[in-house]
Amino acid sequence: MNNALAILDSMPPPSVFYTRYWGRLPFVVRGAVPVSVMQGLIEADELAALAGEDGVRSRLVNTPDEQSTWGCQFGPFDEEDFQTQPPEKWSLLVQNVEQYHPETAALLRCFDFSPRWLLDDIMVSYATPGGTVGPHMDSYHVFLVQGAGQRQWTVANAPLSPEQEIYVDGLDLKVLRDDFVGDTVTVSCGDVIYIPPRFAHAGVTLESSLTYSVGFLGPKLSDLFMGYGQYLSEFDALDQPYGAASLGMDDTGFTVSSEAVQNFQTLLSGNVNGGHFAQWLTEFFAGSSNEDIADLGERDDILSVDTLRAHMETGRQLIKPAYVKLVIVGATNGDFYVGYGGKAVRMDNSLSALVDCMCSEQAFGLSDISEADISEPALSMLATLYNDQALEWSL
Ligand code: SIN
Ligand code: CO
């Protein structure tokens, strides 16, 4: 297979994306993000202000030169921190920007073909000429969207093996010790590079520039086991001792027979296969992947279904903001769960057209919903999601 970095002039259609690229190969798309979206994204001064806020994760990274080694400080940062930086060779990186800047969250709509339910965050970096975080690999899938200024990237053409994953010692930054084989490309505003997990990459800023990294990260299996175990432990029916009813002659003394082992496995897997799993999975993916960021809670000014209907009858429209992570998980009998803010609401098939409407992330009003879909349960569902801040009035 020829692994040269593919340079495309449009996003590959989903069928090609998933069979050829997702998790397998990096690619570059020139001018992938429309200017109208790029213009709304967070700018350098707003980013610096955000990095000054408590609870916002940020880092300042200095590129080494003849006199110094890598530098990495963690925020929050004040104005003086930026004023005392050298004119070149540093970067500011801020995480979870989609939670703080709704127009940056709107960038996510350009990645609807990706599994939005696996979104980790949008990290934004501002870098001065020569600024870089060094050669590294990430465990997530990332789309690097280039904003203002040009940046040169070298992207590996194969994933790193565990033996190749060796970092420079003693840094708060994971910088690869050894060179890697890859292709080099220069990107400018609106260009996107897709990098699969474990593909080494290194970007050096040619002029002051902004990069928006849209990252998708699957959970660790250990987190799934822990999360589901914690969830099951809340059920009274499971808070019962193992009855040891099926023990036999082989289980005497100090011996647990292989049959008894199998019994335990059946007991445990019965719960994984059981009816609670889809609901739990919905809640799991609907929660924030960053423990510093609280899930959206109920509004102070909650609306009754009648008030919501009255507003909508005047022509007002609702919209699901891009920063709200919605998760739709299939359940039994054609039902499905809608997850948001760490919770799951079970819905039947009659609500699916309305849920599709929300997933489009376009403003919608009563005139966009068919007569048949404007039912009491539908309006009640909209009121619930509005009251939980998963929907907003569109301006
Ligand atoms: C950067 O924007 O400098 C780093 C982004 C990345 O490599 O993931
Ligand atoms: Co990276």
Side-chain angles (χ1 to χ4, degrees):
M1 190 196 282
N2 175 9
N3 277 357
L5 184 62
I7 314 272
L8 313 174
D9 49 22
S10 60
M11 277 292 172
S15 58
V16 177
F17 175 68
Y18 283 104
T19 50
R20 183 166 170 75
Y21 295 109
W22 177 250
R24 293 185 180 88
L25 279 180
F27 63 82
V28 180
V29 185
R30 297 286 184 201
V33 178
V35 176
S36 56
V37 177
M38 295 306 302
Q39 279 168 344
L41 304 185
I42 196 165
E43 291 181 9
D45 50 348
E46 297 167 287
L47 192 71
L50 188 57
E53 288 182 23
D54 282 333
V56 175
R57 288 188 191 177
S58 60
R59 279 173 297 164
L60 260 172
V61 175
N62 291 86
T63 315
D65 55 24
E66 295 78 36
Q67 281 88 45
S68 61
T69 175
W70 289 97
C72 180
Q73 295 162 260
F74 294 89
F77 300 108
D78 58 26
E79 255 186 76
E80 210 191 321
D81 291 314
F82 297 115
Q83 277 161 3
T84 51
Q85 288 301 314
E88 299 201 333
K89 291 193 161 189
W90 59 271
S91 312
L92 167 70
L93 299 100
V94 184
Q95 279 172 270
N96 296 100
V97 176
E98 80 291 350
Q99 297 299 323
Y100 308 109
H101 195 269
E103 283 186 275
T104 300
L107 177 61
L108 297 171
R109 296 188 181 130
C110 296
F111 299 97
D112 269 349
F113 59 88
S114 62
R116 291 265 307 264
W117 52 277
L118 282 179
L119 177 73
D120 190 31
D121 75 337
I122 300 183
M123 182 185 78
V124 183
S125 71
Y126 166 75
T128 54
T132 175
V133 297
H136 66 280
M137 57 147 244
D138 300 308
S139 39
Y140 43 79
H141 302 254
V142 67
F143 294 93
L144 301 171
V145 178
Q146 185 57 31
Q150 290 200 320
R151 190 177 270 211
Q152 191 180 67
W153 287 93
T154 301
V155 183
N157 40 37
L160 281 189
S161 66
E163 297 74 45
Q164 292 169 311
E165 197 187 335
I166 305 169
Y167 296 102
V168 178
D169 272 342
L171 303 180
D172 280 334
L173 203 62
K174 286 190 152 184
V175 177
L176 289 170
R177 192 195 63 185
D178 302 325
D179 289 341
F180 61 87
V181 178
D183 292 315
T184 298
V185 63
T186 299
V187 286
S188 44
C189 194
D191 293 349
V192 173
I193 309 180
Y194 166 69
I195 302 179
R198 302 196 63 85
F199 276 66
H201 50 287
V204 182
T205 302
L206 304 177
E207 47 198 9
S208 292
S209 79
L210 283 157
T211 302
Y212 306 84
S213 302
V214 183
F216 296 88
L217 180 66
K220 291 182 194 154
L221 214 52
S222 56
D223 289 341
L224 290 173
F225 273 119
M226 247 164 35
Y228 192 49
Q230 176 70 38
Y231 173 85
L232 288 180
S233 69
E234 312 279 323
F235 285 90
D236 285 346
L238 299 180
D239 197 21
Q240 303 296 330
Y242 161 65
S246 56
L247 297 190
M249 296 289 288
D250 292 342
D251 298 299
T252 54
F254 301 106
T255 309
V256 182
S257 66
S258 57
E259 284 76 18
V261 171
Q262 253 176 27
N263 271 333
F264 278 114
Q265 283 179 315
T266 309
L267 264 176
L268 293 176
S269 60
N271 280 293
V272 176
N273 297 331
H276 300 299
F277 190 75
Q279 177 173 352
W280 169 75
L281 200 65
T282 313
E283 292 174 13
F284 181 86
F285 283 118
S288 173
S289 61
N290 176 344
E291 64 208 15
D292 293 344
I293 295 183
D295 287 325
L296 297 169
E298 198 176 62
R299 291 177 196 276
D300 296 334
D301 50 342
I302 63 165
L303 287 187
S304 67
V305 179
D306 286 343
T307 315
L308 180 112
R309 182 205 302 271
H311 278 296
M312 294 191 82
E313 280 171 356
T314 67
R316 289 191 80 182
Q317 296 188 315
L318 289 164
I319 188 164
K320 184 202 84 69
Y323 58 81
V324 174
K325 195 176 179 194
L326 210 63
V327 182
I328 317 291
V329 174
T332 46
N333 304 327
D335 288 5
F336 56 94
Y337 290 102
V338 174
Y340 57 90
K343 67 189 241 183
V345 182
R346 190 173 177 120
M347 298 189 188
D348 68 32
N349 209 24
S350 69
L351 297 177
S352 63
L354 202 46
V355 171
D356 286 347
C357 215
M358 294 188 321
C359 289
S360 72
E361 297 187 323
Q362 302 296 323
F364 64 94
L366 289 184
S367 59
D368 302 296
I369 308 170
S370 79
E371 202 63 22
D373 289 331
I374 311 175
S375 60
E376 200 57 29
L379 290 168
S380 157
M381 182 268 274
L382 292 180
T384 303
L385 268 76
Y386 173 80
N387 289 330
D388 287 338
Q389 304 191 69
L391 292 175
E392 292 290 339
W393 293 115
S394 153
L395 299 178

